[in-house]
Amino acid sequence: MQNMMIYYFSGTGNTKKITKLFAEALEECGAKAEIRDIVACDAPVTDGYDAIGIAYPVHGFNTPEIVTDFAKKLPCGNGKPLFALKTSGEPLRLNDASSLELSRIAESKGYRFIGERHYVMPYNMVYRHSDAMAAKMLATAKARIPKDAQAVLLGTVAPLEYPLRARIMTVLCKIERPGMRLNGRLYKVNKDKCIGCMKCVRGCPVGNIEFENGKFRFGGNCIGCARCAFGCPADAITTGLLNPIKVNGAYNFDADPEEAVIGAYCRKSYEKYFADKSE
């Protein structure tokens, strides 16, 4: 029996859903699978595991810095296989090089990077998908994951391809990292809406939100995960320069996926992704 560990980071829950489904699929294939939240894990443990997975949401066509920082803490791999699971709001090929930095870190640590699997899940920023579209995305992931889990266990995950345009996009969009730290200082809480639940303070994965003397303070460590604004039950948080593309409130994944309507935005990419459920 193969013993697998998947470390994940999830801003608003999409990547966590995928990680759980993937672990369940591994176990249905006869393996033992554990998952751990990167935020709650001081240091990665790899001894006793036959393969390591790292799951993350794509941030600006890159692996989030919180994930690459975690990967840098990996102990020596000694040739152990490592794979990636990633989620994004659109199936664009420009996302193809998002794991490049992660793969290089893993290989520098002595791991054999065997590839990645990409799952489309609803945006938590940019624009709000319909609940039917969210349900269709989750249904498509569920259809793809069993075959993907088998590929990981067999070590037959397709090698990564890094098209030049995707590589260029990852380089250009790394400006998002310092940009988010600056923009994060512009976040504000509408006191007229705020219900004082402190969900934002408790939930911030980098501890960037503080509440002192009756005031909220947003520091300079924001990573743009959108957890605070997306999960605010009163929609009381404004997200600085990004407020026009803010999304608030959980999706209903129990909606009817057959009612999903694909809009003009990335239409061909979405249609291909939904059609190729078994890829």
Side-chain angles (χ1 to χ4, degrees):
M1 176 186 292
Q2 292 192 55
N3 197 8
M4 321 286 280
M5 168 62 80
I6 306 176
Y7 290 102
Y8 72 90
F9 169 68
S10 187
T12 57
N14 288 335
T15 305
K16 183 177 181 180
K17 285 181 184 293
I18 294 299
T19 304
K20 285 184 174 181
L21 289 170
F22 206 93
E24 291 169 2
L26 288 171
E27 295 198 336
E28 288 175 1
C29 292
K32 181 180 179 182
E34 297 179 48
I35 67 172
R36 292 185 187 175
D37 186 349
I38 284 174
V39 175
C41 183
D42 292 331
V45 176
T46 59
D47 287 344
Y49 298 101
D50 299 298
I52 302 297
I54 296 182
Y56 69 90
V58 177
H59 281 192
F61 303 101
N62 281 281
T63 307
E65 195 169 18
I66 190 174
V67 177
T68 54
D69 286 347
F70 180 81
K72 291 173 184 176
K73 299 177 183 178
L74 286 167
C76 182
N78 296 316
K80 185 173 295 187
L82 185 147
F83 62 94
L85 307 175
K86 68 183 186 184
T87 63
S88 71
E90 74 290 296
L92 291 176
R93 294 299 304 273
L94 289 176
N95 287 305
D96 284 2
S98 67
S99 291
L100 180 57
E101 182 181 8
L102 176 62
S103 67
R104 287 173 173 169
I105 294 171
E107 290 168 355
S108 72
K109 291 283 187 173
Y111 293 85
R112 181 167 53 89
F113 192 79
I114 62 172
E116 67 173 23
R117 282 295 185 263
H118 181 194
Y119 304 100
V120 177
M121 294 292 278
Y123 280 128
N124 57 19
M125 196 171 282
V126 179
Y127 75 90
R128 187 176 187 85
H129 288 286
S130 68
D131 287 340
M133 271 288 282
K136 189 175 184 68
M137 291 173 179
L138 184 59
T140 303
K142 287 180 177 179
R144 286 175 170 236
I145 283 174
K147 184 177 179 180
D148 293 346
Q150 288 180 349
V152 165
L153 289 172
L154 294 173
T156 58
V157 179
L160 284 179
E161 296 181 0
Y162 301 121
L164 178 59
R165 60 179 180 173
R167 287 172 177 260
I168 292 173
M169 188 60 72
T170 61
V171 172
L172 293 176
C173 289
K174 275 188 178 163
I175 195 173
E176 179 188 87
R177 293 177 178 178
M180 285 297 178
R181 288 192 282 270
L182 290 172
N183 185 69
R185 292 184 178 275
L186 303 178
Y187 281 32
K188 296 183 184 301
V189 174
N190 186 325
K191 294 181 179 180
D192 293 332
K193 288 185 176 182
C194 180
I195 59 175
C197 67
M198 299 298 144
K199 185 177 179 181
C200 58
V201 176
R202 295 192 305 270
C204 181
V206 292
N208 195 53
I209 310 172
E210 297 179 354
F211 183 75
E212 295 179 350
N213 301 320
K215 295 182 179 180
F216 288 92
R217 187 181 74 82
F218 293 84
N221 296 317
C222 181
I223 58 173
C225 73
R227 184 182 294 182
C228 60
F230 182 83
C232 178
D235 192 16
I237 297 176
T238 58
T239 56
L241 299 177
L242 299 179
N243 205 57
I245 59 172
K246 182 185 73 171
V247 174
N248 173 258
Y251 289 93
N252 176 18
F253 287 98
D254 292 326
D256 185 357
E258 297 302 320
E259 294 182 358
V261 176
I262 302 174
Y265 177 72
C266 299
R267 178 189 292 275
K268 290 184 178 179
S269 295
Y270 282 118
E271 289 176 342
K272 184 177 186 301
Y273 176 79
F274 291 137
D276 297 338
K277 290 184 178 181
S278 63
E279 285 194 356

